[in-house]
Amino acid sequence: MPATHQSVEKKLGVCNLCEAICGLELTLTDGTVTGIRGNPDDPLSRGHICPKGTALADIHADPDRLRRPVRRVGDQWLEITWDEALDRVADGLARTITDHGRDAMGIYLGNPNAHSLGSMTHGTALVKSFRTRNKFSATSVDQLPHQLVAHLMYGHQLFLPIPDIDRTSYFLVIGGNPMASNGSLMTVPDFPNRVRALEARGGRMVVIDPRRTETAKAATEHHFVRPGTDAHLLLAMLHVLYDEGLTRPAGYVDGLDRVQAAVAPFTPELAESVTGVPAAEIRRITRDFAAADGAAAYGRVGVSMHPFGTVCQWAVQLLNLLTGNLDREGGVLVTTPAIDAVGTGLIGRGHHDRWRSRVRDLPEFSGEIPSSALREEIETPGEGQVRALLTLAGNPVSSTPDGAALDRALGGLDFMASVDIYVNETTRHADVILPPTTALERDHYDLVFHLLAVRNTARFTPAVLPAEDGAMHDWQIYREIVLRTHRRLGSKVPLSKRVRLSTSPTRLIALLLRQGGRTTMRQLRANPAGVDLGPLRAGQLPKRLPKHRFDAAPELVLADLDRLTATPPPGPDELLLIGRRHQRDCNSWMHNSPRLTKGKPRHQLLMHPDDLTARGLTDGALVTVSSRVGEVEVEVAATDDMMPGVVSLPHGYGHRREGVRLVQAIDLPGVSVNDLTDPELLDVSGNAALNGVPVQVTASVSGSVRTPAPAR
Ligand SMILES: Nc1nc2c(c(=O)[nH]1)N[C@H]1C(S)=C(S)[C@@H](COP(=O)(O)OP(=O)(O)OC[C@H]3O[C@@H](n4cnc5c(=O)[nH]c(N)nc54)[C@H](O)[C@@H]3O)O[C@H]1N2
Ligand SMILES: Nc1nc2c(c(=O)[nH]1)N[C@H]1C(S)=C(S)[C@@H](COP(=O)(O)OP(=O)(O)OC[C@H]3O[C@@H](n4cnc5c(=O)[nH]c(N)nc54)[C@H](O)[C@@H]3O)O[C@H]1N2
Ligand code: SF4
Ligand SMILES: [Mo]
């Protein structure tokens, strides 16, 4: 017998599952991925990888992943050709627009769009071409307050100063858990080692969080805060800066007198009564922060999916600004990436309140309406009612508040199409699903996350695996949807747009790199691990600001302080629900990988032992959690990592809905936290306040732990 000859090959890749954009080294045996590890030569991620990076291969191999377009016929899915599928989508959309007007077509864009080059280069063109006001995205269940504040203060929605974590000596983290999430609006691969280095050089990390998180445990200090009340804490810190003469803002800032007047009523004593953080501690933290040789304040989803997310994100900017830490080494810095999507206008500056949502009169931001309003826009009759929906890499049933109600609403649409790789909680309602190639099969350059990274680097990664025969990339699908639908509508797509839509993302990147002048496609191809463009640089302000000055006191934010003052703090007996992330979860969609779901269950409601005792409950019991909008049954786990009066559920669980085709995930215990979150609870930006939701927890009537239903 001749010896079997295996071909073993190494290729560099990139993980697109979170914002850390780790560089990978893949082993391919006979063309199949048999190993994934971090690439030690990557100048940004330096060999770091988390368990999800290894699971990237599982997505590609997953038998449940759609590889060809499917059409729903009753409760069956039929595979159809791309041509038929694209025609059906174009027919469905065009019919709705012709009969009911362009606002009758809704679009929802999910998180993975930001992680795909093709979506970034071709998605905006698709969305714009339909000119519907009914645009929704994951932005308004995530970082909308950051974008609104950046737009109002700095003149661009993505002008986001990034913590200079590698040189700071004081890192203040409010409502973020980068040990689990690997950072967000701060691309920081290898966070654990960067924190170790920070502490080794005598620096401090201070964490404000209602849960003693993995990050809190790695920190020098952690303080519990009542969910939803952080605005008081942050405003009190600004108050102390003025009160104790600790401010040293830059000269290009206007409106500081209005800031000082606005924060005057927010004393540490008031903050203590609302937040639970002692006034003396607030004063001490503020003094430490101001005295540090380079300090960076950072607030993430805990203070963004928040009833006062905009006030919080504004106050975080002000903390950095007033202490002289904006645009300073060791403070927060704006990046200078090889492709500056902000400075070049590739991503627009953003606009606010040019129009309002039809039903609830909520202001748009950059052309999007809050996702919390999607259900009512589908269900409320009248002109502009959403009758057809296109979802692009999104799962709003699991990701947006009162998902159960949205789930029902989707069933009533005239037509729905999804560009997605699974039949899941949302896409099960689609008439047609169009599955694009996945990460390993497409070229990648990160247009978004280099912009947000703690170090300036650039990297181009050619596809690791060839696309399967006849497969389509997302950008090609987007192009076809535009061209075919507009042909049916009789509206001409100008030649320049058609050319642009047919230009590959890789070609566009090469052009943009040349414009940027810092590196070239040729250089990136010669250095596939990535090119190091150096640490973040101070001295970017005010020259990079559109107006070379900025206003520190946007009217909209100051006006919201009145709402804050008028809002009674949560009562001492009120139980508040917050979210959480786990290193091995990926929003709502990686639970079909057994590699990630094995191990100790982590879906439980976390609760302080005293709160359990007060309700006569025991650790491990099945409990009923109810809110204004819904009710779920889930196991409770006692832990004093929770602040008393606060409970926590992870999002993205609860896959057991009829028709979901995820054989592994469907058996995973857990419920969707968004069956409890409330679309009426909004920040002034329109972002959902997914944290700090009032709930009741009682013994479950069924009283025992459910065993999962058998796989179907
Ligand atoms: N309660 C609560 N809710 C939350 C959060 C929370 O912390 N608490 N977090 C919020 C945040 S930060 C976010 S970003 C949102 C996310 O909200 P969404 O973006 O709506 O949801 P995801 O879970 O990211 O779903 C991604 C979808 O894209 C599909 N997909 C994966 N890869 C690809 C691909 O390459 N191409 C295409 N076309 N599709 C793909 C998946 O199958 C899935 O359907 O959820 C939000 N919801
Ligand atoms: N492993 C993993 N990594 C991910 C994701 C994932 O699903 N899994 N999702 C990715 C996405 S889309 C995003 S946007 C990022 C998010 O990145 P992070 O913002 O780091 O996300 P979380 O881990 O949810 O951290 C939010 C923290 O806020 C706390 N919190 C809740 N309410 C409040 C409050 O009222 N005040 C304060 N001060 N804190 C509060 C929570 O306890 C939690 O520790 O993570 C990304 N990375
Ligand atoms: S931290 Fe994990 S999920 Fe995030 S990019 Fe790196 S390997 Fe991927
Ligand atoms: Mo997110």
Side-chain angles (χ1 to χ4, degrees), residues 9 160 194 241 249 349 356 437 506 508 529 567 641 675:
E9 181 186 13
L160 300 169
R194 292 182 201 267
L241 289 177
R349 290 180 178 188
R356 300 251 170 143
T437 53
T506 303
L508 289 169
T567 304
D641 286 340
D675 290 346

Side-chain angles (χ1 to χ4, degrees), residues 15-22 24 48-53 182:
C15 179
N16 73 333
L17 292 175
C18 87
E19 299 179 34
I21 60 170
C22 295
L24 307 176
H48 180 259
I49 187 172
C50 83
K52 282 191 294 176
N182 298 293

Side-chain angles (χ1 to χ4, degrees), residues 17-20 50 52 111 115 138 141-143 146 173-186 207-216 223-231 233-234 298-307 312 576-589 642 646 648 651-652 690-692:
L17 292 175
C18 87
E19 299 179 34
C50 83
K52 282 191 294 176
N111 168 284
H115 296 270
V141 284
D142 186 348
Q143 80 287 357
H146 296 254
V173 182
I174 311 126
N177 185 12
M179 285 297 252
S181 70
N182 298 293
S184 178
L185 302 186
M186 172 181 64
V207 173
I208 315 282
D209 200 299
R211 181 166 76 92
R212 193 179 301 110
T213 60
E214 297 78 357
T215 306
H223 301 271
F224 282 136
V225 61
R226 280 289 268 166
T229 68
D230 303 72
L233 172 71
L234 290 161
Y298 165 78
R300 209 33 203 110
V301 304
V303 283
S304 177
M305 311 164 167
H306 187 280
C312 287
L576 301 175
L577 173 70
I578 62 168
R580 74 175 180 272
R581 284 178 161 72
H582 187 281
Q583 205 196 23
R584 284 187 289 139
D585 289 329
C586 187
N587 291 330
S588 73
W589 70 278
M642 290 307 299
V646 185
S648 160
H651 75 289
L690 300 169
N691 286 314

